[in-house]
Amino acid sequence: MTIEELIDIQEAGSRARVLGLKAHENPYLAAHRMPPGDTSALGDWLARHEAWKFGWEAEDASREGRIAAHFKELISIARRSAPDA
């Protein structure tokens, strides 16, 4: 999957929020989009799921005036989960 595809999926999540869809309506949760059983498909599916969710959450945060807090939280989570250098 390319970075362009991930960006497109993020934008789709954002548009979904604009249209009033809920976070649990992520299309990557649909049964036909779930990965079969191999681990390579699981990684691809997870990246797509998270990209859509990210777009939806960013749009949701911007609509409620809490976009700065949303991104600070994401940065904090990334720092906590990053391996010690």
Side-chain angles (χ1 to χ4, degrees):
M1 178 176 7
T2 67
I3 190 71
E4 289 83 9
E5 288 175 298
L6 284 176
I7 292 168
D8 287 345
I9 294 169
Q10 287 177 350
E11 290 173 351
S14 178
R15 281 190 306 274
R17 174 58 184 93
V18 168
L19 294 172
L21 274 69
K22 303 295 183 196
H24 70 272
E25 295 179 273
N26 185 329
Y28 294 94
L29 295 176
H32 72 281
R33 286 202 166 161
M34 294 285 190
D38 63 62
T39 55
S40 65
L42 179 61
D44 185 67
W45 171 83
L46 185 59
R48 291 171 186 273
H49 171 272
E50 290 297 316
W52 190 95
K53 180 181 169 193
F54 177 85
W56 190 96
E57 289 176 345
E59 179 63 29
D60 187 58
S62 71
R63 291 179 164 272
E64 296 185 7
R66 51 186 182 82
I67 192 74
H70 176 71
F71 283 104
K72 284 179 185 176
E73 180 182 346
L74 289 175
I75 291 167
S76 174
I77 291 168
R79 286 184 179 152
R80 284 192 306 253
S81 63
D84 291 333

